[in-house]
Amino acid sequence: MKKSTGSIDIEIGSRVRMRRISIGMSQEKLGDMLGLTFQQVQKYEKGTNRISVGRLVDIAKILGVDIHFFFDGVHSAKADAGFGEEDSPPYISEMMSTPEGLQLIRTFTGIKNPKVRKSIVQLVAALASQDTP
């Protein structure tokens, strides 16, 4: 019987992808550094294949993050029984998984003037409201 991957595997894979893209690393480069093909990295990022703990530690070192980066906010099926933190809204991980979202965040955080930041937020809000039917 084959083990199947689940939502946690997909979430961790998505965080690997998000971090890899945010530092400008290709799947091929990450695969080379891990001794894997880019196809295997692709399967990890999609959650098709599970990432072992040892492999995840290696990925964290290569991507320059603490291992906790991949688990922050991830809950098991029994999360409701404890005192865990609330999940972040789904639109955050959706945005962070796109190249445009990452570029927007990278660029936006480079703006130091608070008035300019506020103007950009207002512009984006106005554009979003026009896009709604």
Side-chain angles (χ1 to χ4, degrees):
M1 185 169 142
K2 186 178 186 255
K3 292 182 183 178
S4 65
T5 59
S7 62
I8 292 175
D9 300 302
I10 293 168
E11 179 64 27
I12 290 173
S14 140
R15 291 176 188 208
V16 169
R17 181 178 191 277
M18 174 180 58
R19 177 61 183 166
R20 178 185 58 73
I21 290 171
S22 74
I23 64 170
M25 182 180 287
S26 69
Q27 287 178 333
E28 187 174 6
K29 175 74 174 169
L30 179 57
D32 286 346
M33 295 178 83
L34 291 167
L36 303 170
T37 64
F38 80 89
Q39 291 97 336
Q40 181 61 46
V41 172
Q42 202 170 49
K43 288 178 181 181
Y44 284 157
E45 290 181 356
K46 289 181 179 179
T48 307
N49 287 4
R50 281 199 175 129
I51 305 172
S52 71
V53 173
R55 178 82 70 204
L56 194 58
V57 168
D58 293 340
I59 291 170
K61 286 178 186 174
I62 291 168
L63 298 180
V65 292
D66 186 80
I67 191 75
H68 295 98
F69 171 84
F70 302 110
F71 299 102
D72 283 344
V74 173
H75 298 288
S76 70
K78 296 180 183 180
D80 293 337
F83 298 100
E85 297 176 16
E86 287 185 34
D87 287 336
S88 60
Y91 60 84
I92 292 176
S93 60
E94 288 172 19
M95 181 179 159
M96 293 296 289
S97 68
T98 67
E100 298 86 1
L102 289 169
Q103 182 181 10
L104 181 64
I105 289 169
R106 250 188 258 130
T107 307
F108 185 80
T109 56
I111 299 169
K112 303 303 177 205
N113 185 325
K115 289 181 181 178
V116 173
R117 282 180 171 226
K118 185 175 181 175
S119 295
I120 291 171
V121 170
Q122 290 170 339
L123 172 65
V124 172
L127 292 170
S129 68
Q130 289 178 1
D131 196 33
T132 308

